[in-house]
Amino acid sequence: MKPVTLKEIAETLGISITTVSKALKDYPDVSKKTKRLVKELAQTLNYKPNAFAVNLRTKESKTIGLIIPEVVHHFFSSVIKGIIAQAEKKGYLVIILQSNESYELEKKQLDLLFSKRVDGVLISLANGTGDFKHLNDLMAQETPLVMFDKIAKIVNCSKVIINDRKAAYTATKYLIDSGCKRIAHFRGPLLPQNSIDRFLGYKQALVDHGFVYDPSLVYILDAMSFDEGNYYAAQLLKDHKDVDGIFINTDLVAIGAINELNKRGVKIPDDISIIGFSNWFMSSVISPTLTTIDQPGYLMGKTAFKLLYKEIKKRKNNQAVVYEEVELPTELIIRESTK
Amino acid sequence: MKPVTLKEIAETLGISITTVSKALKDYPDVSKKTKRLVKELAQTLNYKPNAFAVNLRTKESKTIGLIIPEVVHHFFSSVIKGIIAQAEKKGYLVIILQSNESYELEKKQLDLLFSKRVDGVLISLANGTGDFKHLNDLMAQETPLVMFDKIAKIVNCSKVIINDRKAAYTATKYLIDSGCKRIAHFRGPLLPQNSIDRFLGYKQALVDHGFVYDPSLVYILDAMSFDEGNYYAAQLLKDHKDVDGIFINTDLVAIGAINELNKRGVKIPDDISIIGFSNWFMSSVISPTLTTIDQPGYLMGKTAFKLLYKEIKKRKNNQAVVYEEVELPTELIIRESTK
C-alpha cells in the first residue's frame, strides 16, 4: 500500500486538493460537513500530512531511522557503531531516536521517521511495547523494517537476534558445574522477549540439573542500571543468606552488584559467583573481572543494516521481499567472578 | 534570509514551477540551456530541494536535530539524556546524528537536518572541524543553532560551555600541591577548542608553580579511547621513568591508563598519581577510584535545549534574538588515584 496523497482524497470526494488541504488544517472557509468527510476519509486511508510532498523530490532519501530503547546502554553503543559503519559504506545517513523504553514515544518516533521519509527503519523495541500495530502500519506503507535484539516474534519482518535462552542456559549451567547450590537471577522487566528468554534459560538449566526452581530467588529489575545492581545485591544479601551464585541479565547491573558486594566484604567468587551478560569492555576492568556472555553488538548492527539495505533495494526494483531471521552466536567468557 | 522556493526561482527566470522542478531533476523534456540557468540560479540562491514542501505543512516540526561527535562517549550520553528530558517537557522529539569526529559527515548531517525541517539544531563539533561555513549557512537560513561543549569561538550563536582551561589548571595544581614533580599530560587532538584549553590550563599551572614546561611529557591522543589509555600509559613508562603524575583529558582514557599501570605493577598513587576529566560513573568503581573533574553533562544538555527553545520561540514571534553564552561550573572530585 502506497502512502495516500491529498490528490487521491480530493478525487475520491470530488473536491479540490486545496479544499482537502484546508479541511485538514481546519481553515474557517471550509464547511463543517466537508471537514468531517475529509478527516474521516483521511483517517480511513491512514493519510499522513506529508505524503503529498513525496512526489516533489526523488523517492530515495538515503537516510534510515534507528529506534533504540537507550542510546547510552553499552550494548546498544556497539550496535549503533555497527549500523553506522555499514550505512556509511552504502552512503546512508542514520537518524537515531531513543524511545526511553516507552511504547508511546516509540509510536511517535515511528510516525516521525515516516513523515521524514526515511528509506527504512531499524528498531529494537522498548520494554513498554506490548502492542505492535504501529510496526505493522509502517510496513503496510511499504517502509522496510528490520528488528534486532529486542524483537516481537509475531511481527512478520526481518530480524537479527541471538539465542537468549540458550545463552542463559549456558551461563546458569556454568554456575552449577562450578559448584553453586543456590543460584539467584536478576532479570529484566516482564515484557521484553529477551528478558523472558534469559529467565527461561536460567529456569530450564536449574530444572535439568535437579534443582528446585525457587521464584523468590528471581528479582525483577526495571531500569537495568548500575544503581539497581547496587540495590538488588544488598536486597539479596538480606533475603537469602545462602545464595552462592547470581546470573545477572546485563553487565552494567552485574558491575553494580560486584561494587556493592565488594563494599560489604563479600568475597567473589568464594562466597558468591557472578555471571553477567553482554561482555561490555568494563567487565574486564572491574575487580574481580566479570564472567559473562559475549553478545556481538557490532556484528548485530552491521547485519541489521545489511538486511534493511537488501530490502530497500528489492522494493526499489519491484522484486519480491523475503523476510530473513538471522541468529548470531554468543560465547561464554570465563573470568574471575566465577570459580 | 528565508529558504528559497521553486516558485521564486520560476518567477525570477519567467518560467513555470514545473519546468524549474523538471530542470533540477534533469528531465529530458527541458532544454540544456534552461537546465543550466535553473541550476546556476538554484546554486546562487542556495536552494535546497525540499524548500517547496515547507508551505505544505505547519512551519513547526516540533523536532530538533542533535549532532554529536560520538554517541557512545560517556559524557555525551549524559548530555543526550539532559537534552531529551528537557525536549520532552516541551513536546519536542530529538533526532540524533553522530559525526564520528568527521567534518565531512558533520556537514552532510547539517544539510540533512535542514532538509528534514527541524526547528533547530544542537551541535558539539567534530574534532575534524576547522571551517565553520556550514554552521553560518544554516543560521543564514534562520535555523536556530546552539553549540555546546566542543564549540567554535568565532561562530556567533548561543553556547553552553565549561571553563576547560580553569578546570585543567585546578587539576594540575592539585597534582603539584600533592607533591608531584614530573607531570605528564594525555591531551586530545589538536583542533578541538576544549582539548586546546585543557592543555593550556595544564601548561599554565606548571609555569605558575615554577616548573619548566617539557613538551615531551605531552602525548597527543586521537580516538580518546580505553585502548589509547592502555597504549600511552605503556609508552609513557618507556619514555619517562621519572614521571609521578598524569593529567588525562578524559576519564575513559584515564581508566585505560589505570588498567595498564595496575597490570604492570605500578602503584597508584604512590608511584604515579592520576587525574581524569568528566566524572564518569565508572571512575568511582575502578580500583583505585579516580580523582577527576566533574563536568555537568546532564545540566549541559538541559541548558542547551533551553537556549535553543528560547530562540525558536523568539523567532516564531518575530522578536529579536540575543545570543547567550552560558558557562557551567566544574568541580574537582578527589578519590584514591591521587595522594
mmCIF file of all heavy atoms in Angstrom, chain A residues 25 50 56-57 63 70-72 77 81 88 94-97 105 112 116 226 252 282 285-286, chain B residues 25 50 56-57 63 70-72 77 81 88 94-97 105 112 116 226 281-282 285-286:
data_model
loop_
_atom_site.group_PDB
_atom_site.id
_atom_site.type_symbol
_atom_site.label_atom_id
_atom_site.label_comp_id
_atom_site.label_asym_id
_atom_site.label_seq_id
_atom_site.Cartn_x
_atom_site.Cartn_y
_atom_site.Cartn_z
ATOM 1 N N LYS A 25 -6.535 21.264 7.762
ATOM 2 C CA LYS A 25 -5.912 22.257 8.641
ATOM 3 C C LYS A 25 -6.954 23.108 9.373
ATOM 4 O O LYS A 25 -6.602 24.115 9.995
ATOM 5 C CB LYS A 25 -4.999 23.163 7.815
ATOM 6 C CG LYS A 25 -3.686 22.501 7.424
ATOM 7 C CD LYS A 25 -2.869 23.434 6.535
ATOM 8 C CE LYS A 25 -1.705 22.707 5.911
ATOM 9 N NZ LYS A 25 -1.280 23.340 4.649
ATOM 10 N N ASN A 50 2.367 14.563 5.286
ATOM 11 C CA ASN A 50 3.430 14.902 4.340
ATOM 12 C C ASN A 50 3.430 14.100 3.064
ATOM 13 O O ASN A 50 4.295 14.272 2.222
ATOM 14 C CB ASN A 50 4.790 14.741 4.997
ATOM 15 C CG ASN A 50 5.085 15.953 5.826
ATOM 16 O OD1 ASN A 50 4.250 16.843 5.920
ATOM 17 N ND2 ASN A 50 6.255 15.995 6.412
ATOM 18 N N LEU A 56 7.547 15.538 -4.831
ATOM 19 C CA LEU A 56 8.335 16.729 -5.149
ATOM 20 C C LEU A 56 9.827 16.446 -5.144
ATOM 21 O O LEU A 56 10.624 17.281 -5.480
ATOM 22 C CB LEU A 56 8.037 17.836 -4.143
ATOM 23 C CG LEU A 56 6.591 18.327 -4.164
ATOM 24 C CD1 LEU A 56 6.374 19.301 -3.036
ATOM 25 C CD2 LEU A 56 6.277 18.973 -5.511
ATOM 26 N N ARG A 57 10.197 15.276 -4.698
ATOM 27 C CA ARG A 57 11.625 15.004 -4.699
ATOM 28 C C ARG A 57 11.863 13.535 -5.058
ATOM 29 O O ARG A 57 10.927 12.774 -5.212
ATOM 30 C CB ARG A 57 12.211 15.325 -3.331
ATOM 31 C CG ARG A 57 11.471 14.641 -2.201
ATOM 32 C CD ARG A 57 12.319 14.788 -0.990
ATOM 33 N NE ARG A 57 11.579 14.558 0.218
ATOM 34 C CZ ARG A 57 12.056 13.868 1.234
ATOM 35 N NH1 ARG A 57 13.238 13.321 1.163
ATOM 36 N NH2 ARG A 57 11.358 13.716 2.339
ATOM 37 N N THR A 63 18.487 7.962 3.751
ATOM 38 C CA THR A 63 18.503 8.113 5.195
ATOM 39 C C THR A 63 17.693 6.971 5.795
ATOM 40 O O THR A 63 16.656 6.628 5.274
ATOM 41 C CB THR A 63 17.821 9.445 5.590
ATOM 42 O OG1 THR A 63 18.435 10.494 4.870
ATOM 43 C CG2 THR A 63 17.940 9.700 7.074
ATOM 44 N N GLU A 70 17.666 2.716 24.539
ATOM 45 C CA GLU A 70 18.534 3.648 25.234
ATOM 46 C C GLU A 70 19.883 3.785 24.546
ATOM 47 O O GLU A 70 20.637 2.824 24.445
ATOM 48 C CB GLU A 70 18.720 3.221 26.701
ATOM 49 C CG GLU A 70 18.847 4.438 27.563
ATOM 50 C CD GLU A 70 19.079 4.149 29.042
ATOM 51 O OE1 GLU A 70 18.789 3.047 29.496
ATOM 52 O OE2 GLU A 70 19.566 5.063 29.712
ATOM 53 N N VAL A 71 20.167 4.999 24.090
ATOM 54 C CA VAL A 71 21.418 5.275 23.387
ATOM 55 C C VAL A 71 22.622 4.967 24.270
ATOM 56 O O VAL A 71 23.640 4.470 23.809
ATOM 57 C CB VAL A 71 21.473 6.759 22.955
ATOM 58 C CG1 VAL A 71 22.856 7.123 22.446
ATOM 59 C CG2 VAL A 71 20.428 7.042 21.895
ATOM 60 N N VAL A 72 22.491 5.269 25.554
ATOM 61 C CA VAL A 72 23.661 5.220 26.417
ATOM 62 C C VAL A 72 23.995 3.821 26.904
ATOM 63 O O VAL A 72 24.983 3.614 27.576
ATOM 64 C CB VAL A 72 23.498 6.143 27.646
ATOM 65 C CG1 VAL A 72 23.161 7.548 27.195
ATOM 66 C CG2 VAL A 72 22.423 5.624 28.580
ATOM 67 N N SER A 77 25.406 0.874 22.206
ATOM 68 C CA SER A 77 26.504 1.669 21.661
ATOM 69 C C SER A 77 27.230 0.890 20.576
ATOM 70 O O SER A 77 27.538 1.413 19.509
ATOM 71 C CB SER A 77 27.500 2.006 22.766
ATOM 72 O OG SER A 77 26.872 2.764 23.757
ATOM 73 N N LYS A 81 27.390 1.640 16.458
ATOM 74 C CA LYS A 81 28.643 1.713 15.694
ATOM 75 C C LYS A 81 28.596 0.802 14.475
ATOM 76 O O LYS A 81 29.033 1.178 13.385
ATOM 77 C CB LYS A 81 29.825 1.307 16.582
ATOM 78 C CG LYS A 81 30.254 2.396 17.533
ATOM 79 C CD LYS A 81 31.645 2.083 18.090
ATOM 80 C CE LYS A 81 32.165 3.265 18.894
ATOM 81 N NZ LYS A 81 33.488 3.012 19.463
ATOM 82 N N GLU A 88 27.368 3.859 6.271
ATOM 83 C CA GLU A 88 28.266 4.785 5.579
ATOM 84 C C GLU A 88 28.855 4.166 4.323
ATOM 85 O O GLU A 88 29.046 4.849 3.317
ATOM 86 C CB GLU A 88 29.373 5.259 6.516
ATOM 87 C CG GLU A 88 28.875 6.385 7.404
ATOM 88 C CD GLU A 88 29.952 6.937 8.327
ATOM 89 O OE1 GLU A 88 31.097 6.453 8.264
ATOM 90 O OE2 GLU A 88 29.623 7.831 9.108
ATOM 91 N N VAL A 94 22.193 7.939 9.215
ATOM 92 C CA VAL A 94 21.350 7.267 10.200
ATOM 93 C C VAL A 94 20.799 8.287 11.198
ATOM 94 O O VAL A 94 21.558 8.988 11.853
ATOM 95 C CB VAL A 94 22.143 6.196 10.977
ATOM 96 C CG1 VAL A 94 21.227 5.460 11.956
ATOM 97 C CG2 VAL A 94 22.814 5.222 10.020
ATOM 98 N N ILE A 95 19.474 8.353 11.280
ATOM 99 C CA ILE A 95 18.809 9.182 12.287
ATOM 100 C C ILE A 95 18.522 8.306 13.500
ATOM 101 O O ILE A 95 17.852 7.292 13.376
ATOM 102 C CB ILE A 95 17.484 9.734 11.738
ATOM 103 C CG1 ILE A 95 17.737 10.777 10.650
ATOM 104 C CG2 ILE A 95 16.641 10.321 12.856
ATOM 105 C CD1 ILE A 95 16.467 11.314 10.017
ATOM 106 N N ILE A 96 19.064 8.690 14.643
ATOM 107 C CA ILE A 96 18.898 7.866 15.841
ATOM 108 C C ILE A 96 17.838 8.478 16.764
ATOM 109 O O ILE A 96 17.889 9.669 17.049
ATOM 110 C CB ILE A 96 20.226 7.758 16.618
ATOM 111 C CG1 ILE A 96 21.351 7.281 15.690
ATOM 112 C CG2 ILE A 96 20.078 6.813 17.806
ATOM 113 C CD1 ILE A 96 22.736 7.421 16.303
ATOM 114 N N LEU A 97 16.914 7.667 17.201
ATOM 115 C CA LEU A 97 15.922 8.126 18.165
ATOM 116 C C LEU A 97 15.926 7.185 19.359
ATOM 117 O O LEU A 97 16.107 5.979 19.193
ATOM 118 C CB LEU A 97 14.535 8.172 17.532
ATOM 119 C CG LEU A 97 14.386 9.189 16.391
ATOM 120 C CD1 LEU A 97 13.132 8.927 15.593
ATOM 121 C CD2 LEU A 97 14.370 10.608 16.937
ATOM 122 N N LEU A 105 6.335 6.802 23.178
ATOM 123 C CA LEU A 105 7.375 7.546 22.488
ATOM 124 C C LEU A 105 7.798 6.793 21.223
ATOM 125 O O LEU A 105 8.000 7.391 20.160
ATOM 126 C CB LEU A 105 8.574 7.756 23.428
ATOM 127 C CG LEU A 105 9.551 8.847 23.049
ATOM 128 C CD1 LEU A 105 8.843 10.166 22.787
ATOM 129 C CD2 LEU A 105 10.579 9.053 24.166
ATOM 130 N N LEU A 112 7.255 9.932 13.182
ATOM 131 C CA LEU A 112 8.196 10.979 12.788
ATOM 132 C C LEU A 112 9.090 10.490 11.651
ATOM 133 O O LEU A 112 9.268 11.178 10.641
ATOM 134 C CB LEU A 112 9.061 11.394 13.983
ATOM 135 C CG LEU A 112 10.156 12.406 13.672
ATOM 136 C CD1 LEU A 112 9.564 13.782 13.396
ATOM 137 C CD2 LEU A 112 11.157 12.512 14.818
ATOM 138 N N LYS A 116 9.391 11.926 7.914
ATOM 139 C CA LYS A 116 10.667 12.445 7.423
ATOM 140 C C LYS A 116 11.154 11.640 6.216
ATOM 141 O O LYS A 116 12.276 11.839 5.742
ATOM 142 C CB LYS A 116 11.730 12.414 8.526
ATOM 143 C CG LYS A 116 11.434 13.276 9.746
ATOM 144 C CD LYS A 116 11.525 14.758 9.447
ATOM 145 C CE LYS A 116 11.152 15.593 10.667
ATOM 146 N NZ LYS A 116 10.854 16.984 10.342
ATOM 147 N N PHE A 226 23.306 0.463 36.833
ATOM 148 C CA PHE A 226 24.350 0.261 37.820
ATOM 149 C C PHE A 226 23.755 0.368 39.237
ATOM 150 O O PHE A 226 24.008 -0.479 40.097
ATOM 151 C CB PHE A 226 25.434 1.325 37.603
ATOM 152 C CG PHE A 226 26.574 1.257 38.570
ATOM 153 C CD1 PHE A 226 27.601 0.340 38.399
ATOM 154 C CD2 PHE A 226 26.632 2.131 39.650
ATOM 155 C CE1 PHE A 226 28.659 0.285 39.290
ATOM 156 C CE2 PHE A 226 27.686 2.082 40.542
ATOM 157 C CZ PHE A 226 28.704 1.159 40.364
ATOM 158 N N LEU A 252 26.118 -4.233 33.074
ATOM 159 C CA LEU A 252 26.068 -2.981 33.829
ATOM 160 C C LEU A 252 25.515 -3.241 35.232
ATOM 161 O O LEU A 252 26.063 -2.769 36.236
ATOM 162 C CB LEU A 252 25.195 -1.969 33.085
ATOM 163 C CG LEU A 252 25.060 -0.589 33.714
ATOM 164 C CD1 LEU A 252 26.408 0.089 33.847
ATOM 165 C CD2 LEU A 252 24.127 0.285 32.880
ATOM 166 N N MET A 282 34.074 -2.863 30.172
ATOM 167 C CA MET A 282 34.342 -2.634 31.587
ATOM 168 C C MET A 282 34.367 -3.943 32.389
ATOM 169 O O MET A 282 34.921 -3.995 33.481
ATOM 170 C CB MET A 282 33.301 -1.681 32.193
ATOM 171 C CG MET A 282 33.482 -0.206 31.855
ATOM 172 S SD MET A 282 35.134 0.507 32.193
ATOM 173 C CE MET A 282 35.322 0.139 33.933
ATOM 174 N N VAL A 285 37.701 -4.907 33.292
ATOM 175 C CA VAL A 285 38.458 -3.889 34.022
ATOM 176 C C VAL A 285 38.105 -3.913 35.508
ATOM 177 O O VAL A 285 38.938 -3.681 36.370
ATOM 178 C CB VAL A 285 38.159 -2.490 33.427
ATOM 179 C CG1 VAL A 285 38.836 -1.401 34.232
ATOM 180 C CG2 VAL A 285 38.592 -2.432 31.971
ATOM 181 N N ILE A 286 36.832 -4.213 35.786
ATOM 182 C CA ILE A 286 36.366 -4.259 37.175
ATOM 183 C C ILE A 286 37.143 -5.332 37.941
ATOM 184 O O ILE A 286 37.675 -6.269 37.357
ATOM 185 C CB ILE A 286 34.850 -4.569 37.204
ATOM 186 C CG1 ILE A 286 34.273 -4.557 38.620
ATOM 187 C CG2 ILE A 286 34.540 -5.919 36.573
ATOM 188 C CD1 ILE A 286 33.547 -3.313 38.960
ATOM 189 N N LYS B 25 15.632 18.141 -11.797
ATOM 190 C CA LYS B 25 15.686 16.682 -11.770
ATOM 191 C C LYS B 25 16.204 16.099 -13.082
ATOM 192 O O LYS B 25 16.106 14.885 -13.306
ATOM 193 C CB LYS B 25 14.287 16.127 -11.482
ATOM 194 C CG LYS B 25 13.857 16.284 -10.043
ATOM 195 C CD LYS B 25 12.429 15.796 -9.876
ATOM 196 C CE LYS B 25 11.885 16.152 -8.511
ATOM 197 N NZ LYS B 25 10.416 16.242 -8.535
ATOM 198 N N ASN B 50 13.974 20.618 -0.759
ATOM 199 C CA ASN B 50 12.700 20.464 -0.073
ATOM 200 C C ASN B 50 12.020 21.754 0.321
ATOM 201 O O ASN B 50 10.971 21.733 0.946
ATOM 202 C CB ASN B 50 12.895 19.642 1.191
ATOM 203 C CG ASN B 50 12.926 18.189 0.837
ATOM 204 O OD1 ASN B 50 12.838 17.846 -0.333
ATOM 205 N ND2 ASN B 50 13.033 17.350 1.828
ATOM 206 N N LEU B 56 3.547 23.310 2.630
ATOM 207 C CA LEU B 56 2.501 22.303 2.621
ATOM 208 C C LEU B 56 2.158 21.834 4.024
ATOM 209 O O LEU B 56 1.227 21.099 4.245
ATOM 210 C CB LEU B 56 2.933 21.096 1.791
ATOM 211 C CG LEU B 56 3.147 21.409 0.321
ATOM 212 C CD1 LEU B 56 3.704 20.193 -0.379
ATOM 213 C CD2 LEU B 56 1.845 21.848 -0.317
ATOM 214 N N ARG B 57 2.951 22.226 4.966
ATOM 215 C CA ARG B 57 2.626 21.791 6.316
ATOM 216 C C ARG B 57 2.899 22.907 7.302
ATOM 217 O O ARG B 57 3.375 23.966 6.932
ATOM 218 C CB ARG B 57 3.457 20.566 6.669
ATOM 219 C CG ARG B 57 4.950 20.764 6.448
ATOM 220 C CD ARG B 57 5.621 19.566 7.040
ATOM 221 N NE ARG B 57 6.973 19.424 6.574
ATOM 222 C CZ ARG B 57 7.961 19.104 7.383
ATOM 223 N NH1 ARG B 57 7.755 18.946 8.656
ATOM 224 N NH2 ARG B 57 9.182 18.947 6.913
ATOM 225 N N THR B 63 10.489 19.118 16.107
ATOM 226 C CA THR B 63 11.614 18.196 16.087
ATOM 227 C C THR B 63 12.890 19.026 16.075
ATOM 228 O O THR B 63 12.965 20.025 15.369
ATOM 229 C CB THR B 63 11.575 17.345 14.801
ATOM 230 O OG1 THR B 63 10.311 16.734 14.698
ATOM 231 C CG2 THR B 63 12.658 16.283 14.815
ATOM 232 N N GLU B 70 30.351 11.611 19.173
ATOM 233 C CA GLU B 70 30.228 10.188 19.398
ATOM 234 C C GLU B 70 29.153 9.880 20.419
ATOM 235 O O GLU B 70 29.240 10.284 21.568
ATOM 236 C CB GLU B 70 31.573 9.581 19.841
ATOM 237 C CG GLU B 70 31.702 8.202 19.295
ATOM 238 C CD GLU B 70 32.975 7.489 19.682
ATOM 239 O OE1 GLU B 70 33.959 8.135 20.062
ATOM 240 O OE2 GLU B 70 32.953 6.254 19.601
ATOM 241 N N VAL B 71 28.135 9.158 19.959
ATOM 242 C CA VAL B 71 27.011 8.801 20.826
ATOM 243 C C VAL B 71 27.475 8.000 22.029
ATOM 244 O O VAL B 71 26.976 8.155 23.137
ATOM 245 C CB VAL B 71 25.981 7.955 20.037
ATOM 246 C CG1 VAL B 71 24.925 7.371 20.973
ATOM 247 C CG2 VAL B 71 25.309 8.808 18.977
ATOM 248 N N VAL B 72 28.451 7.111 21.802
ATOM 249 C CA VAL B 72 28.809 6.154 22.836
ATOM 250 C C VAL B 72 29.724 6.730 23.908
ATOM 251 O O VAL B 72 30.030 6.068 24.881
ATOM 252 C CB VAL B 72 29.485 4.897 22.236
ATOM 253 C CG1 VAL B 72 28.597 4.312 21.160
ATOM 254 C CG2 VAL B 72 30.855 5.224 21.673
ATOM 255 N N SER B 77 26.649 10.806 26.523
ATOM 256 C CA SER B 77 25.470 10.068 26.972
ATOM 257 C C SER B 77 24.662 10.899 27.958
ATOM 258 O O SER B 77 23.443 10.976 27.867
ATOM 259 C CB SER B 77 25.892 8.775 27.659
ATOM 260 O OG SER B 77 26.556 7.942 26.764
ATOM 261 N N LYS B 81 20.862 12.581 27.501
ATOM 262 C CA LYS B 81 19.782 12.402 28.470
ATOM 263 C C LYS B 81 19.187 13.747 28.891
ATOM 264 O O LYS B 81 17.970 13.889 28.992
ATOM 265 C CB LYS B 81 20.289 11.674 29.718
ATOM 266 C CG LYS B 81 20.440 10.184 29.515
ATOM 267 C CD LYS B 81 20.583 9.484 30.871
ATOM 268 C CE LYS B 81 20.568 7.983 30.685
ATOM 269 N NZ LYS B 81 20.653 7.254 31.963
ATOM 270 N N GLU B 88 11.432 16.688 25.854
ATOM 271 C CA GLU B 88 10.143 16.019 26.056
ATOM 272 C C GLU B 88 9.171 16.885 26.839
ATOM 273 O O GLU B 88 7.977 16.877 26.580
ATOM 274 C CB GLU B 88 10.350 14.681 26.756
ATOM 275 C CG GLU B 88 10.759 13.615 25.755
ATOM 276 C CD GLU B 88 10.914 12.233 26.377
ATOM 277 O OE1 GLU B 88 10.661 12.093 27.587
ATOM 278 O OE2 GLU B 88 11.290 11.318 25.642
ATOM 279 N N VAL B 94 13.786 14.461 19.422
ATOM 280 C CA VAL B 94 15.186 14.766 19.122
ATOM 281 C C VAL B 94 15.748 13.742 18.136
ATOM 282 O O VAL B 94 15.727 12.542 18.409
ATOM 283 C CB VAL B 94 16.043 14.743 20.411
ATOM 284 C CG1 VAL B 94 17.488 15.121 20.101
ATOM 285 C CG2 VAL B 94 15.456 15.655 21.469
ATOM 286 N N ILE B 95 16.225 14.229 17.009
ATOM 287 C CA ILE B 95 16.906 13.376 16.037
ATOM 288 C C ILE B 95 18.400 13.446 16.334
ATOM 289 O O ILE B 95 18.983 14.525 16.326
ATOM 290 C CB ILE B 95 16.660 13.872 14.596
ATOM 291 C CG1 ILE B 95 15.206 13.638 14.196
ATOM 292 C CG2 ILE B 95 17.612 13.194 13.623
ATOM 293 C CD1 ILE B 95 14.889 14.171 12.810
ATOM 294 N N ILE B 96 19.007 12.311 16.617
ATOM 295 C CA ILE B 96 20.422 12.303 16.980
ATOM 296 C C ILE B 96 21.272 11.823 15.804
ATOM 297 O O ILE B 96 20.960 10.801 15.192
ATOM 298 C CB ILE B 96 20.665 11.362 18.183
ATOM 299 C CG1 ILE B 96 19.731 11.715 19.343
ATOM 300 C CG2 ILE B 96 22.128 11.419 18.626
ATOM 301 C CD1 ILE B 96 19.699 10.657 20.434
ATOM 302 N N LEU B 97 22.307 12.573 15.486
ATOM 303 C CA LEU B 97 23.239 12.136 14.446
ATOM 304 C C LEU B 97 24.643 12.141 15.027
ATOM 305 O O LEU B 97 24.982 12.998 15.845
ATOM 306 C CB LEU B 97 23.155 13.069 13.238
ATOM 307 C CG LEU B 97 21.811 13.033 12.509
ATOM 308 C CD1 LEU B 97 21.673 14.210 11.574
ATOM 309 C CD2 LEU B 97 21.646 11.737 11.745
ATOM 310 N N LEU B 105 31.216 14.487 7.410
ATOM 311 C CA LEU B 105 29.955 13.889 7.837
ATOM 312 C C LEU B 105 29.101 14.943 8.549
ATOM 313 O O LEU B 105 27.886 15.019 8.337
ATOM 314 C CB LEU B 105 30.249 12.705 8.767
ATOM 315 C CG LEU B 105 29.120 11.696 8.955
ATOM 316 C CD1 LEU B 105 28.567 11.226 7.623
ATOM 317 C CD2 LEU B 105 29.627 10.486 9.751
ATOM 318 N N LEU B 112 21.215 17.452 6.040
ATOM 319 C CA LEU B 112 20.107 16.518 6.223
ATOM 320 C C LEU B 112 19.081 17.094 7.196
ATOM 321 O O LEU B 112 17.881 17.095 6.924
ATOM 322 C CB LEU B 112 20.635 15.184 6.766
ATOM 323 C CG LEU B 112 19.557 14.146 7.104
ATOM 324 C CD1 LEU B 112 18.915 13.602 5.840
ATOM 325 C CD2 LEU B 112 20.132 13.005 7.928
ATOM 326 N N LYS B 116 15.255 18.025 6.496
ATOM 327 C CA LYS B 116 14.183 17.361 7.246
ATOM 328 C C LYS B 116 13.372 18.376 8.048
ATOM 329 O O LYS B 116 12.522 18.008 8.850
ATOM 330 C CB LYS B 116 14.761 16.295 8.187
ATOM 331 C CG LYS B 116 15.496 15.151 7.504
ATOM 332 C CD LYS B 116 14.554 14.230 6.751
ATOM 333 C CE LYS B 116 15.333 13.149 6.029
ATOM 334 N NZ LYS B 116 14.549 12.462 5.000
ATOM 335 N N PHE B 226 39.605 3.861 25.618
ATOM 336 C CA PHE B 226 40.173 2.995 26.654
ATOM 337 C C PHE B 226 41.496 2.396 26.161
ATOM 338 O O PHE B 226 42.504 2.394 26.875
ATOM 339 C CB PHE B 226 39.149 1.895 26.968
ATOM 340 C CG PHE B 226 39.601 0.909 27.988
ATOM 341 C CD1 PHE B 226 39.524 1.201 29.342
ATOM 342 C CD2 PHE B 226 40.087 -0.331 27.599
ATOM 343 C CE1 PHE B 226 39.935 0.283 30.296
ATOM 344 C CE2 PHE B 226 40.495 -1.257 28.549
ATOM 345 C CZ PHE B 226 40.422 -0.942 29.896
ATOM 346 N N PHE B 281 30.603 7.612 35.793
ATOM 347 C CA PHE B 281 30.298 6.829 36.998
ATOM 348 C C PHE B 281 31.304 5.693 37.212
ATOM 349 O O PHE B 281 31.555 5.275 38.325
ATOM 350 C CB PHE B 281 28.854 6.299 36.978
ATOM 351 C CG PHE B 281 28.650 5.073 36.142
ATOM 352 C CD1 PHE B 281 28.734 3.815 36.714
ATOM 353 C CD2 PHE B 281 28.395 5.170 34.800
ATOM 354 C CE1 PHE B 281 28.553 2.669 35.950
ATOM 355 C CE2 PHE B 281 28.226 4.038 34.031
ATOM 356 C CZ PHE B 281 28.306 2.782 34.601
ATOM 357 N N MET B 282 31.920 5.175 36.129
ATOM 358 C CA MET B 282 32.913 4.114 36.289
ATOM 359 C C MET B 282 34.143 4.587 37.063
ATOM 360 O O MET B 282 34.896 3.777 37.594
ATOM 361 C CB MET B 282 33.340 3.558 34.932
ATOM 362 C CG MET B 282 32.328 2.632 34.272
ATOM 363 S SD MET B 282 31.748 1.207 35.279
ATOM 364 C CE MET B 282 33.301 0.417 35.703
ATOM 365 N N VAL B 285 34.188 3.300 40.427
ATOM 366 C CA VAL B 285 34.091 1.844 40.526
ATOM 367 C C VAL B 285 35.454 1.183 40.311
ATOM 368 O O VAL B 285 35.779 0.166 40.900
ATOM 369 C CB VAL B 285 33.076 1.320 39.478
ATOM 370 C CG1 VAL B 285 33.030 -0.186 39.485
ATOM 371 C CG2 VAL B 285 31.694 1.901 39.743
ATOM 372 N N ILE B 286 36.268 1.789 39.446
ATOM 373 C CA ILE B 286 37.594 1.265 39.134
ATOM 374 C C ILE B 286 38.444 1.246 40.411
ATOM 375 O O ILE B 286 38.204 1.987 41.341
ATOM 376 C CB ILE B 286 38.263 2.131 38.035
ATOM 377 C CG1 ILE B 286 39.624 1.591 37.622
ATOM 378 C CG2 ILE B 286 38.414 3.582 38.481
ATOM 379 C CD1 ILE B 286 39.609 0.874 36.336
#
